[in-house]
Amino acid sequence: MPFRHLPDSSVIARAPGKINLVLRVGPRRADGYHDLLTCFQAVDVWETVALSPADEFSIAVSGDVNLGEIPLDGNNLAMKAVAAVGRATGRTDAVSILIDKKVPVGGGMGGGSADAAATLIAINELWKTGLSQVELLDIAAELGSDVPFLLEGGTALGRGRGEILEPLKSSPFHWVIVPSMEHLATPGVYGRLDELRSEVDVVLPESLPDAFIDALYRGDPEALAPHLINDMAQAAIDLEPELEATLEKGLACGALAVMVSGSGPTCAMLARDHHHAEAIHAACSEGGRYAVVTTSPARGAHLVSR
Ligand code: C5P
């Protein structure tokens, strides 16, 4: 348990990080967002939050990852999640929020969105507000495009700006996640993508390839590998050229596929099995570089007992 000395009345919840196995991006919409066709998959890397009743609102963050750029005020997505449930239910009681982070910050794995998803579950329990999963999903979509998926977890086809979800069946897969020392802000990566495609007539595919869905279902990493695609990869590489070396290293170490996760700069490398993931991990962590072996899919946000 990452937290010490919590009051008995505290509620703890956790939510996973995500990778996008397929991320196709349509043209920029009038509201500034982009329609997506994506396959989200939750990974076994967790954000944990503890909420406690308090005299005033506060937020503190701990964890293994670079914490420098996380806002510790009302701009934090966990704080916004509490405020949104407050507006929906009329509650105004102050809470203190502790967040323990394992998902790379600003990495394209939905770490901030996972904090929001875990906080929605925790505050609903702390306040006994009894919001249903459907009501929480509506609030989640207001908070950010990835928050609904991180509430649901597993594997899902995402449309719209990522908030329209359809569950997909997936067997387990093994990955090595390689965070970067740098952060990329999502709007900047979308902006660079728009620049790169300014002369192109962008058409969003209508559906995921059948062979991809089949490989997911069967848990066949060799068949899955050629279908992994991220339309944002080049934009992320332009903004952080070092990424190219990380991706090349993954392939040189024998990963079946290497990809930029979401808007980057975290990279995800697909392995055949656990042993293969360990071998890729050993090669990628040479020189002290931080990398994590993980599996997917993981479950969505849920309460944790103490
Ligand atoms: O929804 P969220 O707050 O996570 O999105 C952050 C930013 O990423 C948006 O303001 C927008 O610039 C960009 N975005 C986008 N299309 C999406 C999702 C996010 O352009 N589908």
Side-chain angles (χ1 to χ4, degrees):
M1 180 54 56
F3 309 111
R4 289 182 187 181
H5 312 306
L6 289 176
D8 290 345
S9 51
S10 301
V11 171
I12 302 172
R14 64 178 193 161
K18 60 86 189 166
I19 52 181
N20 302 74
L21 306 186
V22 171
L23 179 52
R24 308 308 305 263
V25 181
R28 188 171 186 275
R29 308 192 313 205
D31 64 0
Y33 283 90
H34 296 71
D35 276 326
L36 306 179
L37 175 78
T38 188
C39 173
F40 288 111
Q41 190 155 65
V43 295
D44 192 21
V45 180
W46 298 90
E47 298 282 281
T48 311
V49 304
L51 267 57
S52 314
D55 294 333
E56 52 190 51
F57 285 97
S58 68
I59 185 157
V61 181
S62 61
D64 296 349
V65 288
N66 181 353
L67 304 172
E69 286 181 21
I70 300 169
L72 295 178
D73 56 19
N75 290 317
N76 188 292
L77 269 181
M79 203 69 117
K80 287 187 178 177
V82 171
V85 171
R87 279 195 303 280
T89 60
R91 296 290 290 263
T92 54
D93 345 4
V95 292
S96 88
I97 304 174
L98 300 178
I99 303 177
D100 185 68
K101 297 190 75 74
K102 295 275 187 289
V103 177
V105 177
M109 285 183 64
S113 303
D115 298 344
T119 301
L120 287 175
I121 297 288
I123 195 70
N124 197 31
E125 173 69 17
L126 184 73
W127 283 347
K128 302 281 179 227
T129 29
L131 295 171
S132 66
Q133 181 78 352
V134 171
E135 289 168 315
L136 290 176
L137 283 167
D138 280 345
I139 297 175
E142 282 167 33
L143 293 168
S145 306
D146 294 337
V147 185
F149 172 69
L150 295 170
L151 263 186
E152 294 277 82
T155 308
L157 168 62
R159 294 182 189 275
R161 58 187 171 84
E163 85 287 17
I164 303 170
L165 298 171
E166 231 174 87
L168 290 171
K169 290 207 165 109
S170 175
S171 299
F173 290 92
H174 298 268
W175 302 90
V176 179
I177 304 289
V178 186
S180 163
M181 290 306 284
E182 303 300 322
H183 303 171
L184 284 178
T186 306
V189 187
Y190 275 105
R192 179 65 191 144
L193 179 64
D194 292 340
E195 279 169 21
L196 286 174
R197 307 198 303 191
S198 59
E199 308 286 311
V200 183
D201 192 14
V202 179
V203 180
L204 186 63
E206 283 186 5
S207 55
L208 297 169
D210 288 342
F212 167 81
I213 306 241
D214 183 57
L216 258 188
Y217 180 74
R218 290 187 293 109
D220 181 341
E222 318 253 1
L224 191 75
H227 297 285
L228 302 187
I229 179 168
N230 180 356
D231 285 348
M232 299 189 79
Q234 189 56 53
I237 291 168
D238 282 3
L239 296 175
E240 209 201 316
E242 247 180 56
L243 274 179
E244 203 137 35
T246 308
L247 294 169
E248 274 165 19
K249 179 143 199 190
L251 283 179
C253 301
L256 300 178
V258 295
M259 61 187 324
V260 175
S261 168
S263 57
T266 300
C267 294
M269 302 179 179
L270 177 62
R272 262 191 311 275
D273 52 32
H274 179 69
H275 290 297
H276 189 210
E278 294 281 4
I280 297 169
H281 177 262
C284 284
S285 7
E286 266 170 22
R289 175 126 201 213
Y290 180 66
V292 187
V293 170
T294 190
T295 56
S296 63
R299 63 185 288 208
H302 58 273
L303 294 172
V304 178
S305 56
R306 328 246 316 242

